[in-house]
Amino acid sequence: MKNIAIVLGSFHTKEVSEMLDEAKKTAAELGANIVEIVWVPGSIEKPLALKRLLMRSDVDACVALGIIERGSTKHGMVMGEVVYEAIMRLMLEHMKPIGLGILGPEILPDQIEPRLRPYARAAVKAAIETIA
């Protein structure tokens, strides 16, 4: 059985909890076991949590779920770029996939709800299908 871990940002707890529900459902459908679920404050903390999980021998892949909403400054764009880059480096460093289900950056409030479940599903599917 393939073992995955999920890292979630709690800044949008209600919406990200919906993503988690879909991630659990998708993992079960694909025959994967979720060995750990880690909540962090926001997206900027995800790479550290992911690295800790990727170092574990019982974790075959990770999934990162969350939202980087559009704000009145470019903070979200900058955060999105550094977080996405860090996640890519972690995949290559540990040779384990990370399914990326972070909405945004720059997502608008009315764009969030319709994307929650599809993005979570796609992230879990990508992580599981990419396990070597």
Side-chain angles (χ1 to χ4, degrees), residues 16-114:
V16 176
S17 292
E18 188 175 329
M19 295 179 89
L20 177 59
D21 290 344
E22 186 66 24
K24 288 177 178 178
K25 178 181 162 193
T26 303
E29 288 171 4
L30 298 175
N33 182 41
I34 299 173
V35 296
E36 188 84 36
I37 296 170
V38 177
W39 286 88
V40 296
S43 289
I44 204 76
E45 294 82 18
K46 286 183 180 98
L48 178 59
L50 289 164
K51 181 164 186 156
R52 289 176 176 156
L53 292 164
L54 291 168
M55 292 171 63
R56 290 175 39 174
S57 62
D58 67 330
V59 173
D60 300 312
C62 289
V63 176
L65 301 176
I67 300 166
I68 302 175
E69 199 172 349
R70 174 181 274 173
S72 59
T73 68
K74 294 295 181 186
H75 173 76
M77 283 297 293
V78 172
M79 183 172 41
E81 286 183 34
V82 299
V83 169
Y84 287 20
E85 183 180 334
I87 289 172
M88 292 301 297
R89 275 185 282 143
L90 287 170
M91 279 195 283
L92 297 173
E93 175 187 341
H94 292 277
M95 296 303 292
K96 294 180 182 181
I98 301 172
L100 190 57
I102 300 175
L103 304 180
E106 297 283 301
I107 194 164
L108 298 171
D110 64 329
Q111 297 172 322
I112 293 172
E113 181 61 35

